[in-house]
Amino acid sequence: MSLLRQPLLLLARSAAVKKLVSSMPVSAGIVRSYVPGETTGSVVDATAALVEDGLRVTLDHLGEDTMDAEQADATVTAYLEVLGQLAARGLTRNAEVSVKLSAIGQFLPDNGHKVALENARTICRAARNAGTTVTLDMEDHTTTDSTLAILRELRKDFPETGAVLQAALHRTESDCRALAHEGSRVRLCKGAYLEPESVAFQDKLDIDRSYVRCLKVLLAGDGYPMIATHDPRMVEIASSLASRYGRTQGTYEYQMLYGIRPDEQRRLAADGETVRVYVPYGQEWYGYLMRRLAERPQNLTFFLRSLVSKK
Ligand code: FAD
């Protein structure tokens, strides 16, 4: 793990840092490089451009950790709106949505789990009507059980709903086994959250080893693995494991974030691989941007310059 990742993720929790950073406009270079826009229209345009380039998309309406039921409702409305626009532009064959349960009520006191489930059901129904699917993003380890329980409920009516598992967590290899069945879409990522030693590997090498063990389980299984990483080594290993397990192109996919290694995204697609780009949009880009900066401290100088010039 990079030496700066932990302090940066801790600093990101400070309200003063959040206030300062959030005062940057979305047009500031560093924000724009990871977030193509704030509005539904701008992100649907960005989606159309990626699809034109032979890529697929999963859209994320930015926001997380809401403690406000109205805010959760507004997020649901935003998803219904973007699904409607994707359908109207004929994009739903190639674009789906990713949803963070904490943005649609999971942390509300008393009945958060139930509210998040009902809100997720509303989004899944709209996605199905639009001709596409939903993937539930995975947040920090305190939410894993609740998120997987909601996934099981949703899959009774919407078996196409995708899950995310994080290789950093000790439990994930066993969660992969439980989810590697037919029809099950599972995104495997390394994990973006600061997690304690009691539940998560801390060393980059240990996380990478876990990622490979999980890849083996998912690629050997009967589900649809979604290999979410920018790490050239992991992509290479995934490709040779896919051949070893007799996987043909299209029975799994690669996923990368908007703005990260765009040439590699296009190279893989040109090789015939299915490649999906995760495209976040909206005003609540703070948490997302800080996680990206923590992964790539080389971007800090660029970031500080944007902050000072406020352009
Ligand atoms: P790393 O070891 O972090 O990076 C490998 C290489 O990729 C680096 O050496 C560099 O070349 C390049 N790179 C990585 N990050 C950057 C960057 N910010 N800017 C430029 N280059 C970079 N995490 C969750 O916890 N929950 C989720 O639901 C979730 N969903 C995701 C969905 C997708 C499609 C993707 C791609 C990631 C998702 N993540 C999620 C984030 C993930 O867990 C990692 O934090 C993130 O992908 C970085 O890990 P890496 O596998 O790319 O490898």
Side-chain angles (χ1 to χ4, degrees):
M1 179 175 309
S2 114
L3 277 179
L4 271 170
R5 181 167 179 250
Q6 232 164 350
L8 266 176
L9 287 173
L10 282 172
L11 195 67
R13 292 180 182 167
S14 141
V17 173
K18 179 170 182 182
K19 194 163 167 233
L20 176 67
V21 175
S22 301
S23 68
M24 283 197 307
V26 71
S27 58
I30 188 75
V31 186
R32 184 62 96 207
S33 66
Y34 291 119
V35 180
E38 293 198 321
T39 63
T40 309
S42 62
V43 79
V44 172
D45 286 345
T47 301
L50 290 163
V51 169
E52 184 81 6
D53 279 356
L55 299 165
R56 298 194 189 184
V57 169
T58 184
L59 284 167
D60 165 43
H61 182 264
L62 288 163
E64 53 201 283
D65 302 346
T66 189
M67 298 299 283
D68 174 357
E70 271 179 32
Q71 175 70 38
D73 288 345
T75 300
V76 176
T77 306
Y79 274 104
L80 303 191
E81 189 188 329
V82 82
L83 284 164
Q85 288 201 23
L86 289 172
R89 303 253 315 249
L91 290 167
T92 44
R93 226 169 61 85
N94 293 307
E96 63 139 31
V97 293
S98 285
V99 175
K100 283 191 173 48
L101 291 176
S102 81
I104 56 169
Q106 193 175 30
F107 293 166
L108 293 178
D110 305 331
N111 58 353
H113 181 90
K114 194 161 163 275
V115 172
L117 171 60
E118 285 319 309
N119 281 337
R121 219 190 273 287
T122 304
I123 299 172
C124 286
R125 195 174 301 116
R128 180 179 286 173
N129 290 339
T132 189
T133 50
V134 174
T135 295
L136 299 183
D137 278 355
M138 189 60 86
E139 300 175 71
D140 76 53
H141 79 280
T142 61
T143 66
T144 314
D145 283 327
S146 159
T147 300
L148 292 179
I150 288 177
L151 176 82
R152 279 192 295 277
E153 279 305 305
L154 290 171
R155 280 188 170 166
K156 290 180 186 162
D157 295 321
F158 306 100
E160 64 275 25
T161 308
V164 179
L165 295 174
Q166 300 151 320
L169 300 187
H170 299 149
R171 61 179 286 168
T172 293
E173 196 179 336
S174 130
D175 287 333
C176 284
R177 282 207 178 82
L179 287 175
H181 54 78
E182 200 181 331
S184 168
R185 297 191 311 120
V186 180
R187 176 195 299 158
L188 180 66
C189 63
K190 290 192 189 178
Y193 296 84
L194 195 56
E195 301 285 17
E197 226 171 312
S198 53
V199 300
F201 300 109
Q202 306 292 312
D203 246 44
K204 178 173 161 44
L205 195 59
D206 290 331
I207 297 172
D208 288 355
R209 286 193 182 120
S210 166
Y211 196 96
V212 175
R213 287 194 301 274
C214 294
L215 266 180
K216 286 183 181 167
V217 174
L218 294 176
L219 287 165
D222 294 321
Y224 182 78
M226 304 186 281
I227 304 159
T229 182
H230 314 97
D231 187 337
R233 265 192 75 232
M234 295 301 122
V235 171
E236 205 175 297
I237 292 171
S239 155
S240 63
L241 286 174
S243 314
R244 189 201 294 179
Y245 294 116
R247 288 269 181 174
T248 51
Q249 287 181 331
T251 64
Y252 60 91
E253 69 183 41
Y254 290 102
Q255 297 191 340
M256 293 190 190
L257 301 177
Y258 178 85
I260 304 185
R261 305 197 69 208
D263 294 344
E264 176 68 356
Q265 297 170 11
R266 281 154 183 82
R267 184 194 69 81
L268 286 166
D271 273 359
E273 300 289 359
T274 303
V275 181
R276 193 177 296 278
V277 183
Y278 183 105
V279 183
Y281 73 102
Q283 294 168 353
E284 293 291 318
W285 42 261
Y286 176 77
Y288 182 87
L289 176 71
M290 294 311 270
R291 288 193 289 277
R292 301 293 81 79
L293 286 174
E295 282 154 15
R296 185 91 171 150
Q298 295 98 305
N299 284 346
L300 265 184
T301 332
F302 186 30
F303 166 66
L304 291 172
R305 211 176 292 140
S306 311
L307 200 56
V308 171
S309 70
K310 295 259 181 86
K311 272 200 296 246

